[in-house]
């Protein structure tokens, strides 16, 4: 699980976007607190749609997003 959270952080850093900017670009489906929480709470995100939206907003391609979602599913 720690590796998955580190992956989300790496995705965020490489995007060049702050969690607040990610939330702003994602619209109402991903709030700022949720974006920060995904990176800082130390537990696996519970909502797959938020993980997908986070990765898409950070600029991952569809194959990359699919891979992240596969990893998330295995860890659930």
């Amino acid at each position: 699980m720690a590796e998955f959270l580190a992956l989300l952080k790496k995705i965020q850093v490489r995007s060049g976007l702050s969690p607040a900017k990610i939330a702003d670009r994602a619209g109402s489906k991903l709030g700022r607190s949720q974006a920060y929480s995904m990176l800082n709470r130390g537990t696996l995100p519970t909502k797959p749609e938020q993980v997908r939206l986070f990765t898409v907003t950070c600029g991952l391609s569809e194959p990359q997003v699919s891979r992240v979602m596969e990893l998330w599913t295995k860890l659930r």
Side-chain angles (χ1 to χ4, degrees):
M1 177 196 52
E3 294 88 3
F4 185 83
L5 298 175
L7 175 62
L8 289 181
K9 183 66 174 176
K10 190 176 204 176
I11 291 167
Q12 179 258 320
V13 169
R14 285 191 176 179
S15 76
L17 300 171
S18 68
K21 286 284 186 192
I22 292 168
D24 290 346
R25 289 185 180 190
S28 63
K29 295 182 180 181
L30 183 68
R32 286 183 180 204
S33 63
Q34 292 152 332
Y36 279 103
S37 181
M38 289 177 101
L39 299 169
N40 298 311
R41 73 175 161 196
T43 60
L44 197 64
T46 57
K47 297 181 179 178
E49 62 275 6
Q50 289 181 343
V51 176
R52 176 173 287 283
L53 186 56
F54 181 91
T55 57
V56 168
T57 303
C58 285
L60 268 60
S61 67
E62 187 53 42
Q64 292 169 319
V65 172
S66 293
R67 179 78 177 146
V68 171
M69 296 310 298
E70 286 173 21
L71 292 170
W72 180 85
T73 300
K74 286 180 183 178
L75 293 170
R76 292 288 304 144

